[in-house]
Amino acid sequence: MRIALLTAAGKGSRMQQNVPKQFLRVKNKPVILYTLEKVQSSPLIDEIVLVSLNDWKDVLWEFAKQYHISKLKYIVDGGKTGQESILCGLNAIQKYHDENDVIMIHDGNRPMISQEIIADSFATYEKYGSAVAAIPCVEAIFQSENGLDSEITYPREKLFRTQTPHTYCLKDLIDAHQMAKKLEIENTAATCVLMQKLGKKIYFSKGSEKNLKITTIDDVETFEAYVNNCKE
């Protein structure tokens, strides 16, 4: 079985809004619902598990009912960090599913995920046993200690920016989080970073510049422009 684990438990403090970023409305629809609709429409995904803020769970169930998100099976309370929230979702999945089931972890505030990205994530997983969406870095990259100046740069042709989805089998994810607890690895919100810290090789699947993570007001404006002008 293929299960989408969507994370939507962040409070969005960087956005400086009263409403968490995943619940901001674009054309009178919350961001998280755009993500749910994209995942719902994929024939490759059997179920959806959503990790959310406790106060928003009832609202999410109402959204799911209103917009026919029939694959949504569980809404789970998140943890204090992104890493803890993912584990909360994995623990819920583990109660009802086989350890060999495939889990596609995706940010709830990445509403522009495409069917091509989903399909390539699963295809890469089938080939290598894991998949992390990524795109080449096209800008010059500098390292700075103070945010004001720098004398260190990196060759951009060797650099990649990771996104979600991250796709692994349930057993590998549970094992990774158990090992992280033993090694006191905390607050790795990105599963690929946790896996890298545990010595695992990262295999890239298709990402996209359109696969936008909504973190700032600028991101909301960009997403709104896509919604108004793009079919995908």
Side-chain angles (χ1 to χ4, degrees), residues 3 5-7 49-51 74 76-79 83-95 103 170 174:
I3 303 159
L5 174 57
L6 302 183
T7 57
V49 176
L50 183 58
V51 183
Y74 319 109
V76 182
D77 289 342
Q83 181 177 319
E84 288 184 12
S85 291
I86 290 172
L87 181 57
C88 289
L90 294 173
N91 286 336
I93 293 170
Q94 190 178 33
K95 293 179 182 178
I103 313 300
L170 179 58
I174 292 293

Side-chain angles (χ1 to χ4, degrees), residues 12 26 46 63 74 87 95 97-98 123 136 160 178 200:
V26 174
D46 301 301
F63 286 153
Y74 319 109
L87 181 57
K95 293 179 182 178
H97 292 280
D98 186 84
F160 288 79
Q178 289 176 344
K200 307 294 184 182

Side-chain angles (χ1 to χ4, degrees), residues 120-158:
D120 195 67
S121 187
F122 285 122
T124 302
Y125 167 82
E126 292 296 332
K127 186 173 182 179
Y128 298 109
S130 67
V132 173
I135 57 176
C137 187
V138 296
E139 294 94 357
I141 300 295
F142 285 82
Q143 177 181 319
S144 176
E145 299 298 327
N146 57 17
L148 296 174
D149 54 57
S150 174
E151 296 178 348
I152 304 171
T153 187
Y154 296 93
R156 62 187 177 186
E157 64 273 12
K158 294 183 179 181

Side-chain angles (χ1 to χ4, degrees), residues 4 45 47 57 87 98-99 106 117 146 155 166 200 205 229:
I45 293 173
E47 290 186 4
K57 288 166 70 176
L87 181 57
D98 186 84
E99 65 178 12
H106 185 62
I117 287 174
N146 57 17
H166 301 163
K200 307 294 184 182
S205 61
N229 297 294

Side-chain angles (χ1 to χ4, degrees), residues 37-49:
E37 287 181 324
K38 288 291 184 70
V39 176
Q40 169 75 24
S41 64
S42 171
L44 301 176
I45 293 173
D46 301 301
E47 290 186 4
I48 301 171
V49 176

Side-chain angles (χ1 to χ4, degrees), residues 167-225:
T167 300
Y168 292 84
C169 78
L170 179 58
K171 182 181 185 304
D172 288 347
L173 289 167
I174 292 293
D175 288 349
H177 280 269
Q178 289 176 344
M179 184 61 67
K181 186 175 183 179
K182 291 180 181 179
L183 298 176
E184 298 184 345
I185 299 173
E186 299 177 344
N187 204 22
T188 57
T191 298
C192 58
V193 174
L194 174 57
M195 292 297 189
Q196 186 273 332
K197 286 180 177 292
L198 294 175
K200 307 294 184 182
K201 183 179 290 188
I202 305 304
Y203 292 95
F204 295 146
S205 61
K206 180 179 177 59
S208 171
E209 292 286 357
K210 289 184 180 179
N211 189 24
L212 179 70
K213 184 176 183 181
I214 295 185
T215 306
T216 67
I217 292 298
D218 286 347
D219 298 330
V220 175
E221 293 174 356
T222 300
F223 175 53
E224 189 168 15

